[in-house]
Amino acid sequence: MAATPSSREEFVYMAKLAEQAERYEEMVEFMEKVSTTKEESRGNEDHVSVIRDYRSKIEGELSNICDGILKLLDSRLIPSASSGDSKVFYLKMKGDYHRYLAEFKTGAERKDAAESTLSAYKSAQDIANAELPPTHPIRLGLALNFSVFYYEILNSPDRACNLAKQAFDEAIAELDTLGEESYKDSTLIMQLLRDNLTLWTSDMQDDGADEIKEAAPKNDEQQ
């Protein structure tokens, strides 16, 4: 099949999109098509439809992957979990995969994914608080991901910061009880919690400063 005048440009553009999405096998396929397509000059072209189609393809694949894992968690892994750490681990995973869906879904689908995420994380949190020590890496990992959910999906920086800070402070208070086998994992997650806290509080302060700067001209105009 002969290439259209815009084929080479589209293949180059698709290769760039594939690289950004870290889908390297597809990037190679597009670059191979570039190498076999004659050079044609058509100037700049609107790639909005190309981006939309490629995004739809990736989102469809992600939905299928997440749905498959969530079915496995609900049907087998969560019901068969017996220990506290395994229950928290699988419920956290359930929340994680619903959160992944909420990151790109829209409308009612996004709302459903967010509600499912919140429900799974809260169930995991109840068990973690009752059965796992504050320094346990699974409990800390849950707090990390739960706080990210509050910040990025629910747009609730206050809740995100409160949850992250509480988890960090509780772990610090019992750091001397941490065993060697989990010390590295736990301290790494604690560092991530602290990094997020630093970033989020800085962003909140910047937003507050911007609001003051935006309000000042309006006040001046009224005087």
Side-chain angles (χ1 to χ4, degrees):
M1 181 173 144
T4 62
S6 63
S7 289
R8 187 179 190 280
E9 184 182 355
E10 288 181 358
F11 291 149
V12 171
Y13 192 73
M14 291 299 294
K16 291 179 180 178
L17 286 178
E19 182 183 20
Q20 291 172 3
E22 298 183 3
R23 296 165 69 91
Y24 299 112
E25 291 184 4
E26 291 185 4
M27 181 189 74
V28 172
E29 290 177 6
F30 287 125
M31 290 309 296
E32 287 176 348
K33 292 178 181 179
V34 170
S35 66
T36 58
T37 305
K38 292 183 179 179
E39 177 78 48
E40 297 285 352
S41 176
R42 233 190 110 174
N44 294 329
E45 183 178 349
D46 185 2
H47 295 290
V48 172
S49 62
V50 176
I51 295 174
R52 186 183 298 113
D53 291 343
Y54 194 55
R55 176 175 177 173
S56 178
K57 174 186 177 181
I58 295 175
E59 288 180 352
E61 292 178 6
L62 287 173
S63 292
N64 290 335
I65 292 171
C66 290
D67 289 342
I69 293 173
L70 288 167
K71 287 179 182 177
L72 179 62
L73 285 165
D74 284 333
S75 63
R76 296 177 58 185
L77 297 176
I78 293 175
S80 64
S82 55
S83 63
D85 56 353
S86 62
K87 290 177 183 177
V88 175
F89 179 80
Y90 289 130
L91 284 168
K92 170 187 168 295
M93 184 181 291
K94 180 178 179 178
D96 289 341
Y97 278 91
H98 279 299
R99 175 165 59 89
Y100 301 152
L101 291 171
E103 287 177 354
F104 63 85
K105 294 292 187 181
T106 58
E109 287 185 321
R110 186 180 192 277
K111 181 182 178 183
D112 290 343
E115 289 176 350
S116 296
T117 304
L118 185 62
S119 176
Y121 279 158
K122 281 188 173 180
S123 296
Q125 186 182 55
D126 289 342
I127 299 172
N129 290 344
E131 301 186 29
L132 302 182
T135 54
H136 197 293
I138 294 178
R139 176 170 168 172
L140 286 168
L142 170 63
L144 176 67
N145 290 11
F146 201 171
S147 62
V148 169
F149 167 71
Y150 273 128
Y151 191 85
E152 295 185 349
I153 304 299
L154 296 189
N155 297 317
S156 182
D158 289 337
R159 288 184 180 180
C161 289
N162 289 338
L163 196 160
K165 186 177 187 305
Q166 181 178 355
F168 182 85
D169 290 345
E170 288 177 350
I172 281 289
E174 298 189 19
L175 196 59
D176 57 346
T177 65
L178 192 57
E180 289 185 10
E181 67 280 359
S182 60
Y183 184 86
K184 184 176 180 180
D185 291 337
S186 295
T187 53
L188 174 60
I189 300 172
M190 290 171 66
Q191 181 63 52
L192 293 173
L193 284 166
R194 187 168 65 177
D195 290 345
N196 282 350
L197 273 171
T198 301
L199 176 65
W200 294 341
T201 52
S202 175
D203 287 346
M204 290 167 66
Q205 290 171 355
D206 289 343
D207 290 342
D210 290 341
E211 289 176 3
I212 293 173
K213 290 176 183 177
E214 291 172 0
K218 295 178 182 178
N219 292 336
D220 290 342
E221 289 173 3
Q222 292 174 353
Q223 289 178 355

